[in-house]
Amino acid sequence: MDSPRKRTSTAQPRAPADHAERFRRVRDAHQSETAEDYVEIIAELIGEKGEARLVDLAECFGVTKATVNNTIQRLQRDGFVTSEPYRAIFLTDKGRKLAAASRERHLVVRDLLISLGIDPETAEADAEGIEHHVSKTTLEAFRRHLAKQRRPRD
Amino acid sequence: MDSPRKRTSTAQPRAPADHAERFRRVRDAHQSETAEDYVEIIAELIGEKGEARLVDLAECFGVTKATVNNTIQRLQRDGFVTSEPYRAIFLTDKGRKLAAASRERHLVVRDLLISLGIDPETAEADAEGIEHHVSKTTLEAFRRHLAKQRRPRD
DNA sequence: CAACTAAGTTAGCTGTAGCTAAGTTAGGTT
DNA sequence: AACCTAACTTAGCTACAGCTAACTTAGTTG
Ligand SMILES: [Mn+2]
Ligand SMILES: [Mn+2]
Ligand SMILES: [Mn+2]
Ligand SMILES: [Mn+2]
């Protein structure tokens, strides 16, 4: 007598306090967040050093190797990476796709912040959190704004 | 032989892959997030209906009453709210302060998104997640941008 | 004033994400 | 070939944040 998951989905005339759906989306974003950051960094490491080792990830995220190990197992379970005991970590196709999209979005968010006059250091830091909450629509708007900036008078 | 918390803090010449600190900040933001959203909504409910009831919060966040109950206990433990069994929930001074700051920031973030041409619906939704990752510096830049927009030629 | 119901509470479960401590393995050095 | 050590794994813990199911209370209503 309590399950809050269903929502009539009939696109009602504007429910009073329709906060719930928004908060649900934020919670969803938090779920995807770890995967997005991991595959992005893994792709980066593979690009830079040829392979992604657990110890590099630990250093990169500022967590212990044990934590990374757990996370990698979850990512493997969810089909983003493959890895055999004591070996490097690889991306699946699904992982590579997510990595590419995440990287793109990350850069757009960072550049947008910079375009608003924020210093690159802060922009990079804030982008790391903001990126996961930027919808397709908003990302598009960010891209448009950047394009406009680049050629002010067209 | 593994604790990743310390960082020499000597402000080194730019460590290679200084990602760690950024991710730490994102994790911190996630910790404060629940408190920020709750006090904001509680303040809103008190403003609108005179009091904030557990059942309203549950509806608002789209979670069960049991979940809200847990959260309120944590918020009480952390000094943001007071509440006695079967009674309404009130904000402490600390809670009211956090609520005011959160609301302010929320509005700035939302308005900034709108000012970039994003529809209010999407802006509101994305702001709900983004707000928690916007630093003081970035918030200031957002405010500046909004001021500039409002009076285009000064 | 009794009874019903909505609101709130409690107990007990799940999964994520972090940690420490202790053990194992792979691969380079001698 | 043996050995060291860094890399990795495992086990076992914590807190947060969600859930269901069952229970209790407060307040309204007949
Ligand atoms: Mn990123
Ligand atoms: Mn990120
Ligand atoms: Mn929020
Ligand atoms: Mn908010």
Side-chain angles (χ1 to χ4, degrees):
Chain A
M1 191 101 330
D2 217 5
S3 63
R5 280 279 138 168
K6 16 88 178 315
R7 199 90 187 108
T8 38
S9 100
T10 31
Q12 288 300 98
R14 192 97 271 288
D18 203 9
H19 290 146
E21 196 47 43
R22 297 204 265 269
F23 285 111
R24 244 188 281 276
R25 287 193 37 208
V26 175
R27 289 195 293 272
D28 281 357
H30 285 154
Q31 291 254 302
S32 342
E33 194 158 336
T34 305
E36 290 165 359
D37 285 336
Y38 266 72
V39 297
E40 194 184 333
I41 298 289
I42 290 169
E44 220 172 79
L45 286 169
I46 291 175
E48 280 172 15
K49 321 180 133 193
E51 58 175 12
R53 306 291 324 204
L54 197 141
V55 70
D56 301 320
L57 290 168
E59 139 109 83
C60 204
F61 287 113
V63 299
T64 62
K65 292 175 288 172
T67 296
V68 174
N69 205 48
N70 283 337
T71 306
I72 292 299
Q73 277 172 22
R74 245 176 293 129
L75 293 181
Q76 188 155 26
R77 180 200 62 191
D78 297 341
F80 294 109
V81 307
T82 61
S83 89
E84 287 169 69
Y86 296 99
R87 290 276 137 71
I89 294 141
F90 301 98
L91 292 173
T92 61
D93 274 13
K94 183 179 171 188
R96 253 186 302 274
K97 271 204 174 161
L98 184 61
S102 297
R103 174 159 198 277
E104 227 289 88
R105 191 188 53 186
H106 186 123
L107 294 179
V108 170
V109 172
R110 187 202 58 189
D111 289 349
L112 178 101
L113 293 178
I114 290 176
S115 89
L116 294 177
I118 295 155
D119 64 291
E121 202 52 38
T122 304
E124 191 63 62
D126 287 12
E128 197 55 76
I130 291 175
E131 52 173 353
H132 310 281
H133 302 279
V134 168
S135 63
K136 277 235 141 76
T137 308
T138 296
L139 191 61
E140 260 322 303
F142 283 6
R143 280 211 199 84
R144 270 198 302 280
H145 181 263
L146 285 170
K148 191 162 39 160
Q149 288 276 108
R150 245 177 260 114
R151 35 165 182 64
R153 219 124 308 248
D154 200 18
Chain B
M1 191 102 330
D2 216 6
S3 62
R5 281 278 137 168
K6 16 96 176 315
R7 198 89 187 110
T8 38
S9 99
T10 31
Q12 288 300 98
R14 192 97 273 289
D18 204 10
H19 290 146
E21 196 48 42
R22 297 203 266 268
F23 285 111
R24 245 188 282 275
R25 286 192 39 209
V26 175
R27 289 196 294 271
D28 281 357
H30 285 154
Q31 291 255 301
S32 342
E33 194 159 336
T34 305
E36 290 165 358
D37 285 336
Y38 266 71
V39 296
E40 196 184 333
I41 299 289
I42 291 169
E44 220 171 80
L45 286 168
I46 291 175
E48 279 170 17
K49 320 179 132 194
E51 59 175 11
R53 306 290 325 203
L54 197 142
V55 70
D56 300 320
L57 290 168
E59 139 109 84
C60 203
F61 287 114
V63 300
T64 62
K65 294 175 290 171
T67 296
V68 173
N69 205 48
N70 283 338
T71 305
I72 292 299
Q73 278 172 20
R74 245 176 294 128
L75 293 181
Q76 188 156 25
R77 179 199 64 189
D78 297 340
F80 294 109
V81 308
T82 61
S83 89
E84 286 169 73
Y86 296 98
R87 291 277 137 70
I89 295 142
F90 301 98
L91 292 172
T92 61
D93 275 13
K94 184 179 170 189
R96 253 185 303 274
K97 271 203 174 160
L98 183 62
S102 297
R103 174 159 197 276
E104 227 289 89
R105 192 188 54 187
H106 186 121
L107 295 178
V108 170
V109 171
R110 187 201 58 186
D111 290 348
L112 179 100
L113 294 179
I114 290 175
S115 88
L116 294 177
I118 294 153
D119 65 291
E121 203 51 41
T122 305
E124 192 62 64
D126 287 12
E128 197 55 76
I130 291 175
E131 54 174 352
H132 310 281
H133 302 278
V134 167
S135 63
K136 277 236 143 73
T137 308
T138 295
L139 190 61
E140 260 321 304
F142 283 6
R143 280 209 199 85
R144 270 198 304 280
H145 182 264
L146 285 170
K148 194 164 31 160
Q149 287 278 107
R150 242 176 263 115
R151 35 166 181 65
R153 218 123 308 249
D154 199 19

